Amino acid sequence: DVEENRREGQGRYTLKLNGVSPELAELCETKTPLAIIDRRGGELGELSGDNVLSASCATNSDGPEVIYTVNVTEPSLMVARIAGVPAGTLGDPVISLREQCDRETSELACSARGYDPTNPYVIPPNPAVLRAPINPPVDPVTGEGVGQYTLILDGISVGEQPNYQVDVELRPLAPPP
């Protein structure tokens, strides 16, 4: 009898655990809101701290990470750009967009710039540019979009002064055909 088995604790159960390292949990707690005014925002900064994670498009990233949150209230195309600044030593920039900071499976987009080892004399431009359509969940009570997304900035072959400029633009999405 199924009902009797439930009362006795018998049956088939599934337990899912999401383990997060203390370093990643601490990094995600230090996230900084990126102010978006008139659909644009940006900030000048420096990567600092420990190398805690790697984005899917740059598993060889070795720089410390900086975490920003971006609030998106309506369907948008997020265009995020990270570049090293003059006299800085960012190396090859990496930018990742996640729905949840501590879950790599929630990554929506990733961009990294680096050189092609088969053609080392042609080095692409330094900036990494990420483009991702975002359709935030809607609050059933207010009917407003309530999406908070995580931008993770990282680098490959970073030096002593990994200074960067990050810029974000939220462009309107084209209506479906």
Side-chain angles (χ1 to χ4, degrees):
D1 180 29
V2 174
E3 193 60 38
E4 189 174 310
N5 286 343
R6 283 190 192 147
R7 281 184 264 145
E8 293 177 11
Q10 297 176 3
R12 206 172 185 170
Y13 296 93
T14 302
L15 176 63
K16 293 182 180 182
L17 299 175
N18 180 27
V20 175
S21 72
E23 295 84 8
L24 180 56
E26 184 179 330
L27 178 65
C28 289
E29 286 175 13
T30 64
K31 60 190 172 198
T32 303
L34 186 64
I36 303 293
I37 300 169
D38 294 328
R39 303 182 70 88
R40 293 177 186 267
E43 190 163 303
L44 187 64
E46 181 177 332
L47 301 181
S48 61
D50 295 324
N51 180 22
V52 176
L53 56 85
S54 294
S56 66
C57 63
T59 56
N60 60 336
S61 63
D62 56 3
E65 297 83 18
V66 171
I67 309 290
Y68 288 99
T69 57
V70 178
N71 291 326
V72 181
T73 58
E74 59 189 56
S76 303
L77 175 67
M78 180 183 288
V79 179
R81 178 185 183 273
I82 177 177
V85 298
T89 57
L90 178 61
D92 294 324
V94 178
I95 188 166
S96 172
L97 176 66
R98 293 183 179 181
E99 289 180 303
Q100 296 177 315
C101 178
D102 61 357
R103 294 217 173 117
E104 62 185 53
T105 57
S106 74
E107 187 176 68
L108 300 172
C110 186
S111 179
R113 283 298 200 167
Y115 74 96
D116 179 357
T118 62
N119 194 358
Y121 301 108
V122 178
I123 299 174
N126 178 270
V129 179
L130 174 145
R131 291 175 179 83
I134 305 241
N135 198 6
V138 175
D139 183 307
V141 176
T142 64
E144 295 178 4
V146 290
Q148 186 177 78
Y149 298 86
T150 303
L151 274 180
I152 301 171
L153 309 183
D154 202 346
I156 301 169
S157 300
V158 299
E160 295 293 318
Q161 287 188 304
N163 299 328
Y164 64 85
Q165 171 70 43
V166 62
D167 295 296
V168 174
E169 181 182 1
L170 299 175
R171 299 177 182 169
L173 280 179

